[in-house]
Amino acid sequence: MDWHARAPKEVFERLDADEAGLSEEEARRRYDEWGPNEIRDAERASALGLFVAQFRNWLTYLLVVAAALSLAVGFLPGQTPEYAEAGLIAAILLANGLFGFVQDYRTEKSIRALRSLSTPDATVVRDGEKRTVDAREVVPGDVFVVEQGDVIPADGRLVETQRLAADESALTGESASVEKTTEEVPADAPPADRTDMVFMNTHAVDGRGTAIAVATGMETQVGAIAAQLGATDEPPTPFQKEVDALGRRIAGLTLGVIALVAVVQLVFTQSSPIAVLLVAVTLAVAAVPEGLPAVVTLTLALGSRRLLRRDALVRRLPVVESLGSVDVIVTDKTGTLTENEMTVRRAYAGSETYVLSSGEQAHAEVEADARTDGASPTSDKIPPALAALLRTGAICNDAERTPEGYRGDPTEVALRRAADEAGVAFDGDRVREIPFSSERKRMTVVTRGDGREAGGQGENDTADSGMSENESVDRNVNESVNVGVNGNDSGSVSASNADPTAHVKGAPEEILSRCDSVLADGEVVALTDDRRDEILATNARLASDALRVLGFARKTGVDLDAPDDELEEGLTFLGLQGLMDPPRPEVAEAVADCRGAGIRTVMATGDNVETAKAIGAELGFDPAGAMAGPEVEALSEGELAERVEEVEVFARVSPSHKVRILGALQDNDHTVAMTGDGVNDAPALKRADVGVAMGQRGTDVARTAADVVLRDDNFRTIRDAVAEGRGVFDNVRKFVNYLLSANAGEVLVVFVGALVGAALFPETFAGSAEAVVLTPVMLLWINLVTDGLPALALGADPKAEDVMERPPREASERVVNDRVLASVGFIGVLMTVTGLGVFFYGLGLATLVVAQTTLFTFLVVIELVRIQLIRSRYDLSALSNRWLLGAIGLTLALQLAILYTPVREAFGVVALELASWSWIAVGFVAFVALALVGRVGLGQFVSE
């Protein structure tokens, strides 16, 4: 309902309530009806559900079929049941499931640990009395009271306010606090403009107010967003889709090859049906990359752990790979690009403009610009005009300084901090206050005993500034000089003047209209038309830089009993302060690095256009053509798809606008990462290919919707995550290339070997079910030792040095692209030619089992060599991955153990003699030579 468009009296009537509040009995009845006032989580998967989910893919289904075939062949006539193959496949499946389950379970626990929003208390009026209750017990119709620092417990229509201001940035994206009133607003006003409403999970930063709860729990603005997220299923990532499609293609190809071999054997050879079936089972085992699911999962898990060490928590493993394909980052401004903390950036005092900045320490200095006489201000004081300006900003202020930091309205906190960092303390007493209002556009505080300015200079003392009266110089006020708050009291103020002084702040034009003098060059002078024009021009210049500008003035010797208007007339103008939520210092470099890597960064914020353009320009965005939310809304889908390719700054955007912008980019085949921290960012975070939420400043709703949570809230971590994602993609492509080329070689060896053997050695191959170039258990062992540890170790490969110098890959580019397929086919043919040469040489000189064992060992050696051929394409040396070296060494040792220990009987192999090893060496040299020649001759077609 449009509560914001209705008068308080009507709201009370519709909710059957009054200003005396509900009775406890009625509150309990409404609680039973409406339920607890809380945001419900989407249903979380159980531990069993997480485990079962690991097996829902085509490769797993294919492995189950292979295991069943391995068992079935043992029950054929004349065969002995063998359980080794099925057992090994089952072990591989279980290991893969455990890898994925452990990672997903740990991630869920980490996300729950990040849920930092505790249930606050609420002050409600029940039976005519104020009571403190758990915020979960607030019901529609409750009258609740909020004061500075309180978390708003529910959506409420305000019925009374006293300087109430709220920070609603988490909901609306607005960085500035919102002044609240009780006056109704138009029915079509967006949440950001509903000044007569307060919203659940936002904060009161100044004043106090009373409201009637009009919505609780999932019916609130925050709840509506949470409900939208819960109703949206998480789509599979492109990588998940590709792995699933790869499994389907492998299954189809395997069945096709088996059918082809069976037909050829039955029609053109004298092979028995049992021999044909054995070849079919052998081909099935050879074709299935048993280790692929486990290797994919482990590689993604290793990437996830590396990202965690860089403070990026990945919620879903496949997202690690998706990070590497990101080519557009759509980022919120407030709290992501900026500090989410208003700061005084510029100050105008005594006809001079100063650039203010603050760092980790609360210090301030005036850094001298080049001047004709070479003079500079001393480091232990600042100009008196600037001191007076900053000091009045701190006095005319309700912000508080606590051991934990500052508390209050963000604008007033910024003014107080600027004065504290400059060391201009206030030692007097506050004796009267005229509060700010939107009608008056000013606030006045009267003090007594406010003494002299910083450095011991009063208004009438002449500052040794070395400047002429008309000189206006920009100066940097930074964190270098230890004054005031660091124990050096050179900037403190003595209480030598007991006359009451009025300090006034407000809209610059309003303050200036009440002044007849100005503090300039250390003394009070008349406010001439020229000086007034100069001040107004400076105000316009600061405002054009998207600063929020406030004017400051004071009046000494005032009558404490004078009427408000009289007290605020005849003021001395002190100057201007321009405020802004400043960019985070590391963001500009991170944005530049992303651009260098071909990643476009787009800002989408709820702030106004001028502020967004100014921040964007400071961070390196192109503010030209910046668009506001209403412009986005007016465009058709096709028009927006064109504009998003040009615009880098979007302002005044709502959650629905962000979702449209994301959709337009995705429709243009971009892989989009969305960053944000507010409730208003959650729908876009969930829609994005990679949603990135802030862990510290982010809301619980945003963290729940995101794929990645930055524990340090650092935009630079996104850059590191993208680099890690690209490295993971390289590793995935390396081992997929390796596994597929190895399996292709094995399939071709079995396929061609069966045909050639039946043609050249019919007496050996035609009638015997055992007469195959390799048995199923041999192939399973090859796949286990080569697709196992070495392939897993590939997942630990370091990133290539040029990983962030390449452009992002196209969204349509697959892991298995045409170059990888060419490489797989090329290597498969090489393995077949050299491998069958080794086999048939052995068969001509010795028995079938010797030939099988020679080929069996040759393939293990060649597949290990293949790993380094692939890695060399990424300029990785053989010594750069100690885990891979260990895996290769262990694999060779296991192969030798198979050959030269009694376990060889289980595999049907024999111990090889020197002659066989020499022929293996010949085949090895031939394979490497042909592979290198092929790389040179087919380099543009083959990617290893």
Side-chain angles (χ1 to χ4, degrees), residues 894-922:
L894 289 173
Q895 182 65 21
L896 292 175
I898 292 294
L899 298 180
Y900 297 106
T901 65
V903 76
R904 63 177 173 267
E905 295 181 5
F907 286 84
V909 298
V910 295
L912 292 180
E913 297 180 354
L914 185 60
S916 296
W917 280 109
S918 63
W919 191 240
I920 289 174
V922 171

Side-chain angles (χ1 to χ4, degrees), residues 475-510:
R475 294 174 173 176
N476 292 321
V477 179
N478 55 36
E479 62 270 17
S480 307
V481 181
N482 299 322
V483 296
V485 293
N486 271 352
N488 182 341
D489 62 0
S490 62
S492 65
V493 179
S494 61
S496 64
N497 186 351
D499 290 337
T501 301
H503 300 267
V504 189
K505 76 173 180 187
E509 297 87 349
E510 175 66 24

Side-chain angles (χ1 to χ4, degrees), residues 877-892:
S877 72
L879 303 178
S880 61
N881 186 342
R882 58 189 178 91
W883 297 106
L884 182 58
L885 287 175
I888 291 174
L890 180 59
T891 298
L892 291 174

Side-chain angles (χ1 to χ4, degrees), residues 333 337-338 345 544-546 580 583 588 591 595 603 609-624 626 648-649:
K333 178 185 74 68
L337 299 178
T338 65
R345 303 295 301 278
S544 68
D545 290 336
M580 180 185 283
V591 170
R595 292 215 172 142
M603 179 198 301
V609 175
E610 293 305 318
T611 298
K613 288 169 66 176
I615 290 291
E618 193 167 342
L619 292 174
F621 290 84
D622 181 5
E648 292 190 2
V649 176

Side-chain angles (χ1 to χ4, degrees), residues 661-786:
I661 292 167
L662 278 171
L665 288 166
Q666 290 169 328
D667 289 344
N668 290 345
D669 293 328
H670 291 293
T671 302
V672 185
M674 162 71 190
T675 74
D677 58 359
V679 174
N680 63 312
D681 296 323
L685 287 173
K686 189 148 189 176
R687 170 75 180 268
D689 297 295
V690 181
V692 183
M694 304 298 118
Q696 295 178 2
R697 305 187 192 198
T699 60
D700 193 49
V701 174
R703 289 195 296 268
T704 301
D707 301 303
V708 179
V709 179
L710 304 184
R711 299 195 303 179
D712 62 353
D713 286 10
N714 195 328
F715 186 88
R716 183 173 51 198
T717 304
I718 302 173
R719 174 199 61 193
D720 297 338
V722 169
E724 197 64 53
R726 290 187 177 190
V728 166
F729 178 81
D730 284 349
N731 289 348
V732 169
R733 175 168 277 177
K734 276 184 278 188
F735 70 67
V736 167
N737 186 349
Y738 166 62
L739 293 179
L740 293 185
S741 60
N743 283 45
E746 293 164 14
V747 168
L748 285 175
V749 164
V750 173
F751 174 34
V752 176
L755 298 181
V756 174
L760 299 182
F761 301 91
E763 68 283 357
T764 302
F765 282 85
S768 173
E770 300 294 335
V772 290
V773 294
L774 290 171
T775 64
V777 72
M778 291 178 185
L779 284 167
L780 197 59
W781 173 255
I782 293 172
N783 286 352
L784 179 64
V785 295
T786 60

